[in-house]
Amino acid sequence: KAGVTQTPRYLIKTRGQQVTLSCSPISGHRSVSWYQQTPGQGLQFLFEYFSETQRNKGNFPGRFSGRQFSNSRSEMNVSTLELGDSALYLCASSPDRSYNEQFFGPGTRLTVL
Amino acid sequence: DQQVKQNSPSLSVQEGRISILNCDYTNSMFDYFLWYKKYPAEGPTFLISISSIKDKNEDGRFTVFLNKSAKHLSLHIVPSQPGDSAVYFCAASGYSSNTGKLIFGQGTTLQVKP
């Protein structure tokens, strides 16, 4: 079974631009969560989607948004990029909402100049 | 307010010996705990988990111990191998809330020397 895939793997943007990251969960998994990893803050939860609905949201500004499609694929968008948004963005999937183990993709490394 | 803490940023052990990684938590609502391993430029890989109704879970060389009264868990790796060198994260969730949200510690970098 293929793992979680994320595209693109690397991205360079400038301040003020917006970016869209994509995540394809493991086949059959319906829950997708997004995390931001930075050296100073570690791994922080952004939001989680299940059946196309955002179920939970972390403590991030409204510039960070996401969505999930009917095939469980998910995208996250960051608008008006800031230097501090430079990070590794990780997507994780799990079979359903009662399953605790999450399986991570390789991440998208975003650099904001 | 860091709800999950890994107070040791790094740990170095000799190949064949035991590695013990520690994690403390503050939120008594957490009832499920996980350990992940992460190599550079890769996403975290799930290692082992434990429910709060247990105090020990084993999987091969990996054992996780949970002490609820102390709000402390530890991961034991026996015997340690050079391929175990990576960053280890502990994570917690409130199982009953089913929110798909994991709270991670800051990670401990394990180096296993040949």
Side-chain angles (χ1 to χ4, degrees):
Chain A
K1 199 181 249 189
V4 177
T5 58
Q6 293 186 245
T7 56
R9 290 294 311 276
Y10 302 92
L11 206 48
I12 300 175
K13 292 285 187 178
T14 56
R15 279 181 300 173
Q17 287 187 308
Q18 76 163 15
V19 66
T20 299
L21 311 181
S22 181
C23 170
S24 292
I26 292 171
S27 177
H29 285 195
R30 297 167 63 195
S31 173
V32 174
S33 297
W34 288 89
Y35 295 82
Q36 180 196 64
Q37 185 184 18
T38 58
Q41 298 296 322
L43 272 152
Q44 291 193 293
F45 174 79
L46 279 156
F47 28 64
E48 187 248 353
Y49 286 87
F50 180 83
S51 292
E52 301 178 65
T53 301
Q54 186 181 90
R55 206 161 48 144
N56 201 351
K57 192 176 190 304
N59 190 25
F60 280 83
R63 300 185 296 108
F64 291 81
S65 62
R67 59 178 176 169
Q68 187 180 34
F69 302 95
S70 59
N71 61 357
S72 295
R73 191 177 69 85
S74 177
E75 289 181 348
M76 68 163 281
N77 184 77
V78 188
S79 62
T80 321
L81 284 166
E82 300 176 0
L83 295 179
D85 297 333
S86 295
L88 180 67
Y89 289 89
L90 293 158
C91 165
S93 75
S94 63
D96 60 43
R97 59 191 309 172
S98 65
Y99 200 82
N100 282 277
E101 286 81 2
Q102 296 181 15
F103 301 91
F104 284 82
T108 294
R109 171 69 65 184
L110 172 64
T111 302
V112 182
L113 302 176
Chain B
D1 176 29
Q2 203 171 343
Q3 299 183 69
V4 178
K5 298 178 184 179
Q6 294 176 255
N7 291 318
S8 299
S10 62
L11 174 68
S12 181
V13 300
Q14 209 65 35
E15 180 179 7
R17 305 295 291 269
I18 184 171
S19 295
I20 300 176
L21 297 100
N22 294 303
C23 179
D24 297 297
Y25 62 97
T26 58
N27 191 336
S28 57
M29 296 302 291
F30 290 147
D31 52 15
Y32 204 84
F33 304 89
L34 308 91
W35 284 94
Y36 284 85
K37 177 169 77 170
K38 188 179 185 299
Y39 295 116
E42 294 183 14
T45 301
F46 170 71
L47 271 177
I48 191 169
S49 61
I50 187 166
S51 162
S52 60
I53 62 173
K54 296 184 176 181
D55 54 19
K56 178 183 174 181
N57 189 28
E58 282 182 86
D59 185 0
R61 296 186 297 115
F62 302 92
T63 303
V64 56
F65 296 91
L66 175 62
N67 182 334
K68 282 186 294 183
S69 61
K71 292 190 176 68
H72 176 83
L73 63 154
S74 61
L75 174 69
H76 292 210
I77 306 174
V78 184
S80 301
Q81 300 173 353
D84 295 330
S85 297
V87 180
Y88 288 78
F89 292 94
C90 75
S93 77
Y95 178 81
S96 57
S97 62
N98 293 337
T99 58
K101 173 181 179 179
L102 296 178
I103 308 296
F104 283 86
Q106 293 291 89
T108 297
T109 300
L110 172 66
Q111 182 187 29
V112 180
K113 297 179 179 178

